[in-house]
């Protein structure tokens, strides 16, 4: 069943979308602001997000950028803004489609279905695989193989690994990792990162005490080096 995250501060629009989506057998979560949207996206992993740009705590474009730091989930912007430069800004930030208010429910549902189809891996395609000298990470299949043997990771370990691998070679800050893996409420829990990075190193590094792939940048964050 497809899970949808609806983000809008207008209760009547949220209510209409929830009713229509549930009637079509979608699972639906909803948020009324940007912080709630980021937290729910991290916790619930929706298949598609319907996002209003005019949120009370932050602009929707900021939400898109926050999401694109760690997920490729389809994002459909639903907004009363008609100016072409605002549409371009949202699309450049990583939105997949743009529907202006007022909107037709059938059109929105069709665009959602198309976005979800585009996001699905094509049968027979391997998807992105990142390889090191000793282990490979298959981002599409969500599998890790080390020296010919599959490595079992917990969902949290996988999520942390995925964020780092998708940003290979780039520093990912402690705050960004905590927010994207655990949610905004955990942005100061740096001990979580120490514990889970130690677990990843133990499972994947040849010498966990001298890591080659999961590099700590003291006081700043972590970096994955293939």
């Amino acid at each position: 069943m497809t899970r949808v995250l609806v983000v809008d501060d207008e209760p009547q629009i949220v209510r209409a979308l929830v009713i229509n989506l549930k009637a079509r057998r979608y699972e639906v979560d909803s948020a009324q602001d940007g912080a709630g949207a980021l937290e729910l996206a991290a916790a619930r992993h929706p298949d598609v997000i319907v996002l209003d740009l005019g949120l009370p705590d932050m602009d929707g474009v900021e939400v898109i950028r926050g999401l694109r730091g760690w997920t490729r989930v389809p994002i459909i912007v639903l907004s009363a803004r008609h100016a072409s430069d605002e549409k371009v800004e949202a699309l450049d930030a990583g939105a997949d489609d743009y529907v202006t208010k007022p909107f037709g429910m059938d059109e929105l549902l069709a665009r959602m279905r198309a976005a979800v189809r585009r996001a699905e891996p094509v049968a027979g395609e391997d998807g992105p695989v990142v390889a090191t000298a000793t282990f490979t990470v298959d981002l599409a299949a969500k599998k890790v193989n080390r020296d010919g043997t599959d490595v079992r990771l917990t969902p949290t370990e996988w999520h942390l690994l995925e964020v780092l691998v998708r940003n290979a070679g780039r520093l990912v800050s402690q705050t960004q990792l905590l927010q994207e893996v655990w949610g905004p409420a955990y942005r100061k829990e740096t001990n979580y990162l120490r514990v889970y990075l130690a677990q990843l190193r133990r499972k994947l590094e040849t010498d966990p005490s001298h890591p080659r792939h999961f590099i700590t940048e003291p006081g700043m964050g972590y970096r994955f080096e293939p």
Side-chain angles (χ1 to χ4, degrees):
M1 191 176 289
T2 302
R3 180 177 294 279
V4 184
L5 173 57
V6 175
V7 187
D8 201 302
D9 63 342
E10 297 183 49
Q12 65 272 27
I13 289 181
V14 173
R15 187 163 53 248
L17 285 170
V18 169
I19 290 171
N20 278 275
L21 290 168
K22 286 187 173 180
R24 291 164 174 82
R25 300 181 64 79
Y26 288 91
E27 293 183 344
V28 188
D29 298 305
S30 64
Q32 293 186 332
D33 56 32
L38 292 170
E39 188 170 354
L40 275 173
R44 305 286 281 173
H45 301 289
D47 299 295
V48 60
I49 297 174
V50 178
L51 173 69
D52 181 28
L53 293 183
L55 299 173
D57 59 339
M58 66 178 77
D59 192 83
V61 173
E62 294 180 55
V63 178
I64 296 170
R65 293 192 179 115
L67 291 165
R68 284 294 174 253
W70 64 275
T71 179
R72 309 316 302 168
V73 60
I75 301 171
I76 298 177
V77 169
L78 186 64
S79 178
R81 301 177 186 177
H82 294 265
S84 60
D85 58 338
E86 292 178 320
K87 294 181 182 180
V88 169
E89 184 183 16
L91 294 169
D92 282 346
D96 296 87
D97 206 345
Y98 197 110
V99 178
T100 52
K101 298 176 181 178
F103 61 93
M105 188 64 68
D106 288 342
E107 178 189 359
L108 177 62
L109 290 169
R111 288 176 183 263
M112 280 178 45
R113 290 193 297 270
V116 171
R117 281 198 304 271
R118 288 194 298 268
E120 291 173 348
V122 178
E125 289 189 357
D126 293 332
V129 177
V130 177
T132 72
T134 54
F135 66 89
T136 59
V137 182
D138 189 329
L139 292 168
K142 297 191 175 185
K143 289 184 177 181
V144 181
N145 186 284
R146 179 180 177 181
D147 297 327
T149 302
D150 287 341
V151 179
R152 297 187 66 176
L153 299 181
T154 68
T156 301
E157 289 169 350
W158 168 260
H159 198 175
L160 182 60
L161 174 65
E162 183 180 31
V163 175
L164 290 168
V165 168
R166 288 191 184 278
N167 291 277
R170 298 197 295 266
L171 171 68
V172 185
S173 71
Q174 294 177 344
T175 301
Q176 182 181 347
L177 280 169
L178 287 165
Q179 178 164 306
E180 292 176 3
V181 178
W182 285 275
Y186 295 83
R187 282 179 288 190
K188 296 183 179 180
E189 302 291 342
T190 55
N191 59 306
Y192 282 38
L193 293 174
R194 288 192 293 272
V195 170
Y196 278 89
L197 259 297
Q199 291 174 194
L200 284 177
R201 287 170 177 147
R202 190 166 58 251
K203 291 182 178 183
L204 299 177
E205 293 277 8
T206 302
D207 182 357
S209 61
H210 297 88
R212 291 181 54 196
H213 306 292
F214 300 99
I215 310 301
T216 300
E217 299 286 356
M220 295 186 292
Y222 299 87
R223 179 165 41 88
F224 173 74
E225 290 290 352

